[in-house]
Amino acid sequence: MAVSAVPSSAHPPLPQASQEEKLRDVSQQLEATFLAEMLKSAGFGKTPDAFGGGSGEDQFSSFLVQAQAEKMVEAGGIGLAEQIFTALKDTSDGIS
C-alpha cells in the first residue's frame, strides 16, 4: 500500500471573510485574557475576609473574573483587540 503526500496546493486557502473572523475572535480572546489578568491584579475576585464564600468561592472566582473580562470586550473593551487584529491581519496578508 503506497501513501502519497498531498500537495499543499490541493487545499484551497480559507475564504478571506472566515480568516478575518478567526483573527478577530483570537484578538478578542487575547484582550479578554489580558483584561482578566489586570482585574486579578486589581483585586477583583478576591474573597472578602468577612462573610466570604469559603474555598468554593476561591476556586471559581477566576471564572467570574474571566466572564467579566469577556463582557468588557463585548462592550468595546480598551481597543487592544482591534490593535492585535490589525497586526495579525497585516502579518497574514504578507504571508498569503
Side-chain angles (χ1 to χ4, degrees), residues 39-40 42-48 57-58 60-62 64-65 68:
L39 290 172
K40 287 178 197 173
F44 286 93
K46 282 188 178 179
T47 305
E57 186 175 349
D58 289 339
F60 290 101
S61 65
S62 65
L64 176 61
V65 171
Q68 289 170 330

Side-chain angles (χ1 to χ4, degrees), residues 24-40 62 65-74 77-78 80-81 84:
R24 188 165 303 280
D25 195 38
V26 166
S27 301
Q28 290 174 342
Q29 289 174 4
L30 185 57
E31 182 178 7
T33 301
F34 174 79
L35 287 173
E37 290 302 316
M38 293 301 103
L39 290 172
K40 287 178 197 173
S62 65
V65 171
Q66 184 66 34
Q68 289 170 330
E70 289 170 5
K71 288 295 181 185
M72 289 172 70
V73 171
E74 285 177 21
I78 59 173
L80 184 60
I84 295 168

